[in-house]
mmCIF file of all heavy atoms in Angstrom:
data_model
loop_
_atom_site.group_PDB
_atom_site.id
_atom_site.type_symbol
_atom_site.label_atom_id
_atom_site.label_comp_id
_atom_site.label_asym_id
_atom_site.label_seq_id
_atom_site.Cartn_x
_atom_site.Cartn_y
_atom_site.Cartn_z
ATOM 1 N N VAL T 39 17.843 7.397 -1.095
ATOM 2 C CA VAL T 39 17.273 6.115 -1.509
ATOM 3 C C VAL T 39 15.784 6.098 -1.168
ATOM 4 O O VAL T 39 15.390 6.435 -0.048
ATOM 5 C CB VAL T 39 17.985 4.927 -0.821
ATOM 6 C CG1 VAL T 39 17.371 3.604 -1.243
ATOM 7 C CG2 VAL T 39 19.482 4.950 -1.144
ATOM 8 N N ALA T 40 14.977 5.719 -2.155
ATOM 9 C CA ALA T 40 13.528 5.597 -1.961
ATOM 10 C C ALA T 40 13.089 4.192 -2.342
ATOM 11 O O ALA T 40 13.616 3.596 -3.282
ATOM 12 C CB ALA T 40 12.791 6.625 -2.810
ATOM 13 N N VAL T 41 12.122 3.674 -1.594
ATOM 14 C CA VAL T 41 11.525 2.372 -1.872
ATOM 15 C C VAL T 41 10.062 2.605 -2.202
ATOM 16 O O VAL T 41 9.342 3.262 -1.445
ATOM 17 C CB VAL T 41 11.664 1.425 -0.655
ATOM 18 C CG1 VAL T 41 10.946 0.117 -0.912
ATOM 19 C CG2 VAL T 41 13.131 1.180 -0.347
ATOM 20 N N SER T 42 9.625 2.071 -3.330
ATOM 21 C CA SER T 42 8.255 2.257 -3.789
ATOM 22 C C SER T 42 7.528 0.920 -3.741
ATOM 23 O O SER T 42 8.080 -0.119 -4.131
ATOM 24 C CB SER T 42 8.292 2.789 -5.224
ATOM 25 O OG SER T 42 7.000 2.968 -5.715
ATOM 26 N N SER T 43 6.271 0.953 -3.264
ATOM 27 C CA SER T 43 5.544 -0.303 -3.080
ATOM 28 C C SER T 43 4.041 -0.072 -3.018
ATOM 29 O O SER T 43 3.588 1.027 -2.704
ATOM 30 C CB SER T 43 6.005 -0.950 -1.766
ATOM 31 O OG SER T 43 5.276 -2.120 -1.509
ATOM 32 N N GLY T 44 3.313 -1.116 -3.247
ATOM 33 C CA GLY T 44 1.877 -1.105 -3.006
ATOM 34 C C GLY T 44 1.568 -1.364 -1.547
ATOM 35 O O GLY T 44 0.448 -1.194 -1.089
ATOM 36 N N ARG T 45 2.559 -1.775 -0.802
ATOM 37 C CA ARG T 45 2.374 -2.117 0.614
ATOM 38 C C ARG T 45 2.178 -0.864 1.466
ATOM 39 O O ARG T 45 2.534 0.232 1.063
ATOM 40 C CB ARG T 45 3.584 -2.893 1.130
ATOM 41 C CG ARG T 45 3.758 -4.247 0.466
ATOM 42 C CD ARG T 45 5.036 -4.914 0.938
ATOM 43 N NE ARG T 45 5.331 -6.102 0.193
ATOM 44 C CZ ARG T 45 5.087 -7.339 0.616
ATOM 45 N NH1 ARG T 45 4.545 -7.534 1.805
ATOM 46 N NH2 ARG T 45 5.392 -8.381 -0.126
ATOM 47 N N THR T 46 1.683 -1.088 2.676
ATOM 48 C CA THR T 46 1.518 0.013 3.619
ATOM 49 C C THR T 46 2.882 0.387 4.197
ATOM 50 O O THR T 46 3.841 -0.374 4.135
ATOM 51 C CB THR T 46 0.590 -0.389 4.779
ATOM 52 O OG1 THR T 46 1.215 -1.416 5.547
ATOM 53 C CG2 THR T 46 -0.778 -0.838 4.286
ATOM 54 N N TYR T 47 2.934 1.566 4.792
ATOM 55 C CA TYR T 47 4.159 2.014 5.447
ATOM 56 C C TYR T 47 4.583 1.019 6.535
ATOM 57 O O TYR T 47 5.741 0.642 6.632
ATOM 58 C CB TYR T 47 3.947 3.413 6.036
ATOM 59 C CG TYR T 47 5.110 3.918 6.856
ATOM 60 C CD1 TYR T 47 6.330 4.199 6.254
ATOM 61 C CD2 TYR T 47 4.985 4.107 8.218
ATOM 62 C CE1 TYR T 47 7.401 4.663 7.005
ATOM 63 C CE2 TYR T 47 6.050 4.577 8.977
ATOM 64 C CZ TYR T 47 7.250 4.841 8.358
ATOM 65 O OH TYR T 47 8.308 5.296 9.095
ATOM 66 N N ASN T 48 3.635 0.580 7.324
ATOM 67 C CA ASN T 48 3.912 -0.359 8.404
ATOM 68 C C ASN T 48 4.533 -1.663 7.871
ATOM 69 O O ASN T 48 5.452 -2.212 8.469
ATOM 70 C CB ASN T 48 2.626 -0.647 9.182
ATOM 71 C CG ASN T 48 2.893 -1.197 10.555
ATOM 72 O OD1 ASN T 48 3.836 -0.794 11.222
ATOM 73 N ND2 ASN T 48 2.068 -2.127 10.974
ATOM 74 N N GLU T 49 4.020 -2.147 6.760
ATOM 75 C CA GLU T 49 4.577 -3.365 6.159
ATOM 76 C C GLU T 49 6.019 -3.149 5.714
ATOM 77 O O GLU T 49 6.889 -3.982 5.974
ATOM 78 C CB GLU T 49 3.747 -3.790 4.948
ATOM 79 C CG GLU T 49 2.404 -4.375 5.277
ATOM 80 C CD GLU T 49 1.629 -4.679 4.023
ATOM 81 O OE1 GLU T 49 1.847 -5.757 3.448
ATOM 82 O OE2 GLU T 49 0.811 -3.825 3.617
ATOM 83 N N LEU T 50 6.272 -2.042 5.020
ATOM 84 C CA LEU T 50 7.631 -1.781 4.543
ATOM 85 C C LEU T 50 8.621 -1.647 5.694
ATOM 86 O O LEU T 50 9.732 -2.158 5.626
ATOM 87 C CB LEU T 50 7.660 -0.530 3.663
ATOM 88 C CG LEU T 50 7.041 -0.694 2.284
ATOM 89 C CD1 LEU T 50 7.026 0.640 1.551
ATOM 90 C CD2 LEU T 50 7.782 -1.745 1.478
ATOM 91 N N VAL T 51 8.194 -0.966 6.754
ATOM 92 C CA VAL T 51 9.078 -0.813 7.915
ATOM 93 C C VAL T 51 9.341 -2.169 8.575
ATOM 94 O O VAL T 51 10.426 -2.389 9.117
ATOM 95 C CB VAL T 51 8.493 0.218 8.910
ATOM 96 C CG1 VAL T 51 9.223 0.200 10.237
ATOM 97 C CG2 VAL T 51 8.577 1.612 8.292
ATOM 98 N N SER T 52 8.394 -3.089 8.495
ATOM 99 C CA SER T 52 8.634 -4.413 9.073
ATOM 100 C C SER T 52 9.788 -5.123 8.365
ATOM 101 O O SER T 52 10.466 -5.949 8.959
ATOM 102 C CB SER T 52 7.364 -5.271 9.045
ATOM 103 O OG SER T 52 7.078 -5.738 7.742
ATOM 104 N N TYR T 53 10.039 -4.786 7.105
ATOM 105 C CA TYR T 53 11.151 -5.374 6.353
ATOM 106 C C TYR T 53 12.405 -4.499 6.393
ATOM 107 O O TYR T 53 13.520 -4.996 6.319
ATOM 108 C CB TYR T 53 10.768 -5.585 4.883
ATOM 109 C CG TYR T 53 9.695 -6.605 4.660
ATOM 110 C CD1 TYR T 53 8.413 -6.230 4.304
ATOM 111 C CD2 TYR T 53 9.965 -7.958 4.813
ATOM 112 C CE1 TYR T 53 7.423 -7.169 4.090
ATOM 113 C CE2 TYR T 53 8.977 -8.907 4.605
ATOM 114 C CZ TYR T 53 7.707 -8.505 4.243
ATOM 115 O OH TYR T 53 6.735 -9.437 4.040
ATOM 116 N N LEU T 54 12.209 -3.195 6.458
ATOM 117 C CA LEU T 54 13.320 -2.249 6.310
ATOM 118 C C LEU T 54 13.529 -1.382 7.550
ATOM 119 O O LEU T 54 14.034 -0.265 7.465
ATOM 120 C CB LEU T 54 13.060 -1.338 5.097
ATOM 121 C CG LEU T 54 13.017 -2.036 3.747
ATOM 122 C CD1 LEU T 54 12.300 -1.192 2.713
ATOM 123 C CD2 LEU T 54 14.425 -2.368 3.289
ATOM 124 N N GLY T 55 13.142 -1.885 8.700
ATOM 125 C CA GLY T 55 13.186 -1.123 9.943
ATOM 126 C C GLY T 55 14.536 -0.509 10.267
ATOM 127 O O GLY T 55 14.613 0.605 10.781
#
Side-chain angles (χ1 to χ4, degrees):
V39 179
V41 175
S42 179
S43 177
R45 295 175 188 259
T46 66
Y47 174 67
N48 200 37
E49 287 176 84
L50 287 175
V51 169
S52 74
Y53 294 107
L54 296 160

